[in-house]
Amino acid sequence: MIPGHPARGAVASPSRVGTLRRANAVLRQLFAQVPPSKIEIRLVPLVIANRVFAQINPRDPEWRSQLREEQIFKSTSSFAFAPLPQEAIKKLRHDLETSPKREGEKNYDQDMVRLLPGGGPAAQLPSDSSAVDARQAKILLQYDAYWDDPRDNEPNTAWVEGMRRDLGPYTRGAYINYHDSLIQDPLISYYGANLRRLVAVKAKYDPDNLFQYPQSIPTALAREQEVALRHLD
């Protein structure tokens, strides 16, 4: 959490299997760079950890009572293939400290960057072994903002996109699970060099483009996508 901004911060979501000693060593490195305002370490089953991260009572989950039909959100992402340098961390902190004020009566004020670790078995396979090519990424950064008043749509959307843009020099690509209509060349960002093969599969099995949605795989590459892919080859 950012001191002085208790609902804004970077969330590290470790998902590797290992010893508590190894976890403490990794956390010490993280805390040396960004001192937290609160530390809570527990060894729990994955299902309990997921409930804690979702802010649900882990022992007596009431999922439906937590739903907020009026809540609006914006998410986007990028991958870091090397540890973030100090200047990148400073930019993240500055962005989190300057998130927009809300007009809505219910100020959710949940602005964050989730740092989702890469590595593990996923990184042991080649990048062309599946659709997503960012298997060698060290960190998946997920940029989030939540609000409830439509008057806040524009400033919050611009803030999230600006944070991704600020981290652009240190990251690349985006994760397909966080669709972002504002990303330039979204299919290149999601699939990288794998896009060419995915388009070939689409053209073979769905030549009439029956199964489609915004940012779905097309039956043929656009000219600008061909140019972008040549730069990746």
Side-chain angles (χ1 to χ4, degrees), residues 70 102-108 147-152:
E70 73 275 23
R102 307 298 202 274
E103 297 289 344
E105 294 181 2
K106 295 181 180 179
N107 187 351
Y108 294 126
W147 65 97
D148 68 295
D149 192 316
R151 291 175 295 175
D152 295 317

Side-chain angles (χ1 to χ4, degrees), residues 198-208 218-220:
L198 293 171
V199 169
V201 172
K202 173 75 173 184
K204 180 178 180 180
Y205 292 101
D206 185 20
D208 296 326
T219 58

Side-chain angles (χ1 to χ4, degrees), residues 174-194:
Y175 188 38
I176 182 62
N177 278 19
Y178 312 137
H179 266 58
D180 185 351
S181 62
L182 301 179
I183 290 181
Q184 185 178 8
D185 296 327
L187 298 185
I188 298 292
S189 295
Y190 299 147
Y191 305 115
N194 293 338

Side-chain angles (χ1 to χ4, degrees), residues 12 15 39 57 59 103 115 132 167 172 176 190 221:
S15 58
I39 301 175
N57 184 333
R59 300 300 177 184
E103 297 289 344
L115 306 177
V132 178
L167 270 291
R172 68 172 174 85
I176 182 62
Y190 299 147
L221 290 169

Side-chain angles (χ1 to χ4, degrees), residues 159-175:
W159 177 75
V160 171
E161 290 294 327
M163 191 155 43
R164 182 180 187 275
R165 185 172 57 251
D166 287 346
L167 270 291
Y170 319 100
T171 63
R172 68 172 174 85
Y175 188 38

Side-chain angles (χ1 to χ4, degrees), residues 186-231:
L187 298 185
I188 298 292
S189 295
Y190 299 147
Y191 305 115
N194 293 338
L195 179 59
R196 184 179 285 108
R197 179 166 52 92
L198 293 171
V199 169
V201 172
K202 173 75 173 184
K204 180 178 180 180
Y205 292 101
D206 185 20
D208 296 326
N209 201 24
L210 176 63
F211 300 101
Q212 60 175 290
Y213 57 90
Q215 299 188 359
S216 62
I217 301 296
T219 58
L221 290 169
R223 181 178 179 180
E224 58 270 20
Q225 291 171 333
E226 286 280 12
V227 173
L229 286 172
R230 282 199 292 270
H231 287 291

